Amino acid sequence: MAGTAAKHLRLEAARRELGLRKDEFVLGIEHGAIRTCWSGDELCVRAGEVVRWRAKPDELAELTRLVHAAEAAGISGISRHRFDQLARLGVIRPVRSYTNRYHAVVWQYSAADARRLPELRPELTGVRLPGPHLDELASGADRRAEGHRSRLRAQALLMLRDPWTKAAAWSYWSPSTRPPVSRGKLSQAEAVHLARRAAEERLSDVLGSHAAPVTPEEQAEAGREFTAALRRARRSRPAPELVAPSDAAARLGCTVQQIPDEYRDRGVPVDLLEQSVADGLPTVPAPAQIAAARGQRAAQRRKDERQAARKAEQAAKRLREQREQTIAARARAHIPERTADPRVAFHLGPTNSGKTHDAIALLAAHAEAGRTCVYAAPLRMLAFEVYERLRARLGTERVGLHTGEEHLNPDAPVLCCTAEAAPVVGDFLVVDEAHWLADESRGHAWTRLLLNGSHTDVHVCAAPEAEGLLREFFAAGTDITVVRHTRHGVLGRAREFQAATLPSASAVVAFSRKAVLALHRELLEAGRSATVLYGAMPPAARREQIRRLSEGEVDVIVTTDVIGHGVNLPLRAVAFAETDKYDGRSRRKLLVWEAAQIAGRAGRRSQGAGEGLVGAYRSRLPGLTASARLLDQAVHAANGARPGDLRVTTARLRPTWTDLGRPEPGEIPHALAGWTAAARKAAQDRPWLRPMPVAEIHAKLQRARQAVGAPLDVNARWPRDGRTVWRLITMPVDADRTVYPAVCRAVLLGAPLRHLVRPSALIERMALSQAEAYAATMRDLSTAVLAFGRECGGLSTEELAVGEQAAAERINHLVAASRPLATHGSCASCGEPCAPWYTHCDACHSARFFSHDTACFDW
């Protein structure tokens, strides 16, 4: 932080460091939130105070926040009308005003003042104002401007230290407050000293006229304040006595005419005379000269401070860079090597070719022979499906499930896992959907299993395009058997489907939740029985929707591309309502292999659906279109008649905390940079191996830092050690989840999380989106509790599983009600079909906004 090498910061420098506007900064000083101190004659802020608030920017922003009347009323818990009444009565004083484009004065207030209002004046926030206040309002009283000026005067006095200077300020604001000397209320020496303080401190420039009293009441108050300030000044020290101009001239050896006009009539202050004699001056300096000299000295002092701060910052920067280089140099890129060559089998083929089915059958046979086995899948749902199949064949006690959200029988000899959770030891390993190797964010999990595993038999299921990369993982001479699978049954190409012509056991595919719900509404209105399936649904709800379709309770399932990754459904037809999707960065067309992966779900052999059909779905909703050419290519690719455009050429590495050199939390960003460079260098002889992007880890570290208020510095002190923080930021919970900051505070600060658990009565009344969000929160909390135990907010996995199950049951109830789940796809004005991502159709939108625009112009 620039300038914090000094012990104190000037007010302007502190304001810049804290990132506050001037009125917000002064408000923080007025409220005592930003503590100040005097350094000589200058008001300053200690550097430690700036560091303290920079670690808690949200709290400081709330203490210094300015709000308009409507928001201030909401904070106070009263109506806007009552708040305006209290502001006009002067009960709450404005902080700032401006003139809007309608030439009306708009007032802003302190949010902290509004929050304290009910506590300080409870009698004025009740049902009815007291009679005297109502009478005053009836007379047209409006003291907002008066209160604003009063606040400005109080803030200006905060910047003045000397009692005589404060008295001079009150004298400046209203000349009528200066009692005549002839009455004896103010001596000649005091009058001269007040004028001298006003001139030497340049009060006319500092105070200006914006805070000067205007009304007779203000001027009367200023008179009283001046009297009180003068009394305090007299108690602090008497005004310097005056020396006759002739005597002063004789002591200085000058003529009376050389004495400044300010002192020639009344006399020269004795302290000024003695200082001038000691300094050997030819005459006493005028107040303006003293002010100019003081300003020059202050300017020089500020210049020296800036230079010293700049040098200190440069030195600190050099030390920081050296520290960062040392941290980066500690990082090592560890590329695991197999100690023994396993027997390897590649099961390569398109969807519905039986590659996973055959590998699972081999795994079950080896398990029956007493060997330890591991099945690794990309999705929890697929791992659960295989878990259910193996449990039915081998028995519950011999099969376990291990995912990010659940651990069931983890010591069983047969484990079904997501790839990230799969153990690297065992006899028999099945790695499913291994073309995920190329995924930037999750490919490292497949790399870890294939490079680091110690299994004696490895069976890898993947798309044919991954064969070249998979061979790179095994040494030359390794016994590799390639089993090439062909699709069971040929996909047929249907020209077009409509709601009435969809065969039973069909899937309609779209690529957003809103589009899925809109299509579901359309099918219900067409008399079809339908359900939905998309990523935001909890796993229990997804399984229930799959069961409803499998058992014939519904004819059609409207789904996203979630069915493209190993979800087995008895589908006779897959109908694409659209072939464009948003991939997190932009809206783009599906790749051929993506469309083929989804299209291949039609005609699943093991589900008894027979031959499959693929076509476009004609919806009455605008904005949903499917490319016939892309669907033709997808069907050919799924049938093996043409190669897909899937590119699996690069595998990914991810670091461990040990690889990074066991960094502390503030060191992690620099350790990651060092590891990335080391990984690239270590993989030079393996061009197919690349370090994973670390942007997501950086984002989660930033969210964690903000959640606990840790400084953004390599030397920052965090509440917990680096290993704990690393586990937190590599936990499979996305940084943009609303629950993630709360989990960070729970793990690092010991904050509770029980307030996130809702009672069952409330869950039963949730809307669809609320139940989905709640289920996602419960899953994220389950992941955190599995990783950190009871120290994560005092929750248990059992109660979180109950909450997720309750949300899933609520979703199932809403979906099974056979009525539209949302208004998506219908115009809010006329009810006609519209694009799911809009609330109004084009005609109603144009009518509404055209009439609004014309009302704004004088034609």
Side-chain angles (χ1 to χ4, degrees):
M1 181 179 66
T4 54
K7 187 176 181 181
H8 301 99
L9 279 78
R10 295 176 58 249
L11 296 184
E12 181 60 23
R15 183 190 67 79
R16 287 197 303 268
E17 291 289 348
L18 294 173
L20 298 175
R21 295 200 310 265
K22 185 174 181 180
D23 45 11
E24 294 172 335
F25 182 70
V26 174
L27 186 61
I29 294 176
E30 178 190 347
H31 285 160
I34 302 173
R35 296 191 292 264
T36 57
C37 61
W38 291 94
S39 178
D41 292 332
E42 192 169 15
L43 189 64
C44 300
V45 177
R46 287 191 177 89
E49 182 77 358
V50 174
V51 172
R52 179 173 74 94
W53 280 121
R54 286 193 64 176
K56 299 183 288 185
D58 296 339
E59 183 178 344
L60 178 62
E62 184 60 27
L63 290 172
T64 60
R65 186 161 62 100
L66 300 182
V67 295
H68 291 86
E71 187 175 357
I75 293 173
S76 301
I78 57 179
S79 67
R80 168 66 186 276
H81 176 67
R82 173 57 59 84
F83 185 87
D84 286 340
Q85 287 180 320
L86 297 181
R88 288 189 172 91
L89 290 171
V91 175
I92 183 167
R93 298 181 301 174
V95 178
R96 180 174 176 263
S97 68
Y98 62 90
T99 303
N100 63 14
R101 60 178 179 172
Y102 303 109
H103 307 290
V105 177
V106 179
W107 298 99
Q108 286 185 294
Y109 302 84
S110 164
D113 287 351
R115 193 172 293 106
R116 290 194 295 261
L117 181 60
E119 178 183 350
L120 298 177
R121 302 298 298 272
E123 74 279 4
L124 300 180
T125 57
V127 177
R128 183 176 176 83
L129 282 175
H133 293 85
L134 291 175
D135 295 340
E136 188 174 351
L137 287 171
S139 67
D142 189 348
R143 295 184 177 174
R144 287 177 293 186
E146 180 181 333
H148 182 226
R149 290 191 295 269
S150 174
R151 186 160 215 151
L152 292 177
R153 290 194 291 271
Q155 291 173 349
L157 290 172
L158 288 173
M159 310 300 167
L160 304 179
R161 185 180 190 184
D162 181 59
W164 283 100
T165 305
K166 292 184 179 182
W170 282 111
S171 179
Y172 167 81
W173 273 320
S174 182
S176 62
T177 62
R178 301 177 187 173
V181 176
S182 59
R183 294 182 183 177
K185 294 184 179 179
L186 193 67
S187 67
Q188 287 281 9
E190 290 172 338
V192 170
H193 193 53
L194 288 174
R196 174 186 170 191
R197 297 305 300 165
E200 289 181 357
E201 299 296 336
R202 293 183 173 176
L203 292 183
S204 59
D205 296 335
V206 173
L207 304 177
S209 60
H210 54 280
V214 174
T215 66
E217 292 82 1
E218 288 181 276
Q219 293 178 355
E221 181 187 2
R224 293 190 295 270
E225 291 290 345
F226 171 74
T227 302
L230 182 61
R231 189 181 306 115
R232 289 190 292 269
R234 285 169 174 167
R235 284 200 301 264
S236 67
R237 66 180 185 278
E241 296 181 359
L242 299 179
V243 178
S246 57
D247 294 340
R251 289 192 62 182
L252 290 168
C254 65
T255 63
V256 174
Q257 286 72 25
Q258 291 178 296
I259 299 294
D261 295 342
E262 290 87 345
Y263 306 125
R264 196 181 304 161
D265 295 335
R266 297 184 177 183
V268 180
V270 64
D271 63 327
L272 181 61
L273 176 61
E274 291 174 354
Q275 186 64 47
S276 300
V277 172
D279 293 342
L281 300 178
T283 184
V284 294
Q289 294 174 320
I290 295 175
R294 184 177 296 167
Q296 292 175 356
R297 290 195 299 271
Q300 184 61 42
R301 184 172 66 252
R302 290 192 293 269
K303 182 179 178 181
D304 295 341
E305 289 175 354
R306 286 194 299 269
Q307 290 177 347
R310 192 178 300 114
K311 290 180 180 179
E313 180 63 27
Q314 290 172 351
K317 182 180 179 181
R318 287 194 294 271
L319 290 174
R320 189 165 57 247
E321 289 174 348
Q322 292 173 3
R323 174 89 184 276
E324 292 169 359
Q325 292 170 1
T326 302
I327 294 167
R330 289 205 310 258
R332 296 288 184 270
H334 173 66
I335 300 178
E337 299 283 352
R338 285 184 174 274
T339 56
D341 292 333
R343 292 184 295 274
V344 181
F346 293 165
H347 297 264
L348 306 178
T351 58
N352 197 21
S353 58
K355 55 185 184 295
T356 300
H357 178 273
D358 292 352
I360 296 301
L362 289 171
L363 183 147
H366 281 272
E368 289 172 340
R371 304 183 70 190
T372 58
C373 303
V374 176
Y375 169 76
L379 300 175
R380 178 192 185 198
M381 182 180 292
L382 189 53
F384 185 84
E385 181 180 324
V386 175
Y387 165 74
E388 290 287 333
R389 287 170 55 186
L390 291 176
R391 192 172 63 158
R393 177 171 174 175
L394 303 175
T396 302
E397 70 284 351
R398 298 193 60 195
V399 184
L401 178 68
H402 189 183
T403 69
E405 297 91 356
E406 54 196 349
H407 293 176
L408 301 178
N409 197 16
D411 297 325
V414 178
L415 283 178
C416 299
C417 315
T418 50
E420 286 84 353
V424 295
V425 295
D427 297 327
F428 193 93
L429 170 68
V430 172
V431 181
D432 205 358
E433 305 283 348
H435 43 265
W436 276 66
L437 276 165
D439 186 79
E440 288 188 347
S441 59
R442 294 188 61 198
H444 62 85
W446 283 262
T447 302
R448 178 182 65 91
L449 283 175
L450 294 176
L451 275 184
N452 197 37
S454 61
H455 306 84
T456 55
D457 287 272
V458 177
H459 285 247
V460 184
C461 304
E465 292 85 350
E467 180 181 356
L469 177 59
L470 290 173
R471 288 185 177 276
E472 299 286 355
F473 281 84
F474 303 97
T478 301
D479 181 14
I480 299 178
T481 301
V482 180
V483 181
R484 302 193 183 277
H485 298 255
T486 57
R487 181 177 173 84
H488 298 291
V490 178
L491 277 181
R493 177 73 167 90
R495 181 176 180 182
E496 187 176 81
F497 295 106
Q498 296 181 13
T501 61
L502 278 170
S504 59
S506 294
V508 176
V509 181
F511 297 98
S512 71
R513 178 182 179 276
K514 287 186 176 181
V516 166
L517 296 181
L519 291 166
H520 177 257
R521 178 191 184 96
E522 179 180 271
L523 288 167
L524 292 180
E525 291 174 348
R528 301 302 301 267
S529 60
T531 188
V532 294
L533 183 69
Y534 47 87
M537 300 179 74
R542 294 190 209 177
R543 290 194 291 268
E544 173 62 14
Q545 306 323 309
I546 293 173
R547 183 200 65 78
R548 294 181 69 205
L549 184 76
S550 301
E551 296 182 3
E553 289 185 13
V554 293
D555 287 341
V556 183
I557 187 166
V558 189
T559 178
T560 61
D561 52 352
V562 70
I563 67 166
H565 301 291
V567 177
N568 293 320
L569 289 167
L571 296 176
R572 291 186 174 86
V574 172
F576 286 80
E578 58 178 341
T579 51
D580 290 354
K581 68 177 291 186
Y582 180 74
D583 62 3
R585 291 185 293 269
S586 61
R587 190 166 177 83
R588 62 169 177 83
K589 287 191 175 299
L590 292 176
L591 300 175
V592 173
W593 76 268
E594 292 173 323
Q597 191 85 359
I598 299 169
R601 300 298 140 185
R604 303 294 293 174
R605 181 187 65 162
S606 61
Q607 302 291 328
E611 300 299 325
L613 292 175
V614 177
Y617 176 77
R618 180 192 289 181
S619 171
R620 63 187 180 89
L621 300 174
L624 298 179
T625 58
S627 167
R629 182 171 180 271
L630 176 61
L631 295 184
D632 289 339
Q633 294 173 334
V635 169
H636 290 318
N639 286 328
R642 59 155 286 172
D645 53 1
L646 176 63
R647 297 290 180 264
V648 187
T649 58
T650 304
R652 298 290 174 176
L653 277 176
R654 189 177 82 166
T656 65
W657 186 61
T658 303
D659 292 340
L660 298 181
R662 303 175 182 272
E664 290 302 315
E667 300 173 346
I668 289 176
H670 314 291
L672 284 171
W675 174 84
T676 300
R680 288 172 179 161
K681 184 176 181 180
Q684 285 179 349
D685 58 339
R686 304 183 187 192
W688 49 272
L689 193 59
R690 291 286 185 275
M692 67 172 284
V694 295
E696 183 179 355
I697 298 178
H698 280 294
K700 294 175 76 172
L701 179 66
Q702 177 72 357
R703 291 295 300 274
R705 184 192 69 79
Q706 293 173 345
V708 300
L712 183 63
D713 189 76
V714 67
N715 299 312
R717 294 177 63 91
W718 285 58
R720 298 289 298 272
D721 62 289
R723 180 175 178 79
T724 301
V725 173
W726 177 254
R727 290 169 58 205
L728 185 63
I729 63 178
T730 54
M731 183 176 60
V733 176
D734 292 341
D736 56 359
R737 294 280 199 184
T738 55
V739 75
Y740 185 70
V743 170
C744 292
R745 286 189 288 270
V747 172
L748 301 178
L749 299 176
L753 290 175
R754 192 159 298 280
H755 64 283
L756 297 176
V757 179
R758 302 287 183 259
S760 57
L762 180 61
I763 299 174
E764 292 172 358
R765 297 195 301 270
M766 285 182 175
L768 181 65
S769 58
Q770 294 172 324
E772 291 166 357
Y774 183 71
T777 296
M778 294 298 100
R779 286 199 304 277
D780 291 339
L781 290 177
S782 295
T783 301
V785 170
L786 281 174
F788 293 97
R790 278 286 190 176
E791 65 178 304
C792 185
L795 300 175
S796 68
T797 54
E798 291 77 12
E799 61 184 319
L800 296 173
V802 169
E804 182 182 354
Q805 182 62 32
E809 291 174 359
R810 175 59 178 167
I811 294 170
N812 291 334
H813 172 74
L814 293 172
V815 173
S818 297
R819 60 173 179 265
L821 299 170
T823 59
H824 301 301
S826 295
C827 176
S829 295
C830 66
E832 290 297 314
C834 68
W837 41 86
Y838 294 130
T839 57
H840 292 81
C841 65
D842 289 344
C844 293
H845 176 83
S846 300
R848 291 176 72 226
F849 285 92
F850 180 77
S851 61
H852 171 76
D853 292 342
T854 55
C856 295
F857 295 97
D858 183 6
W859 294 98

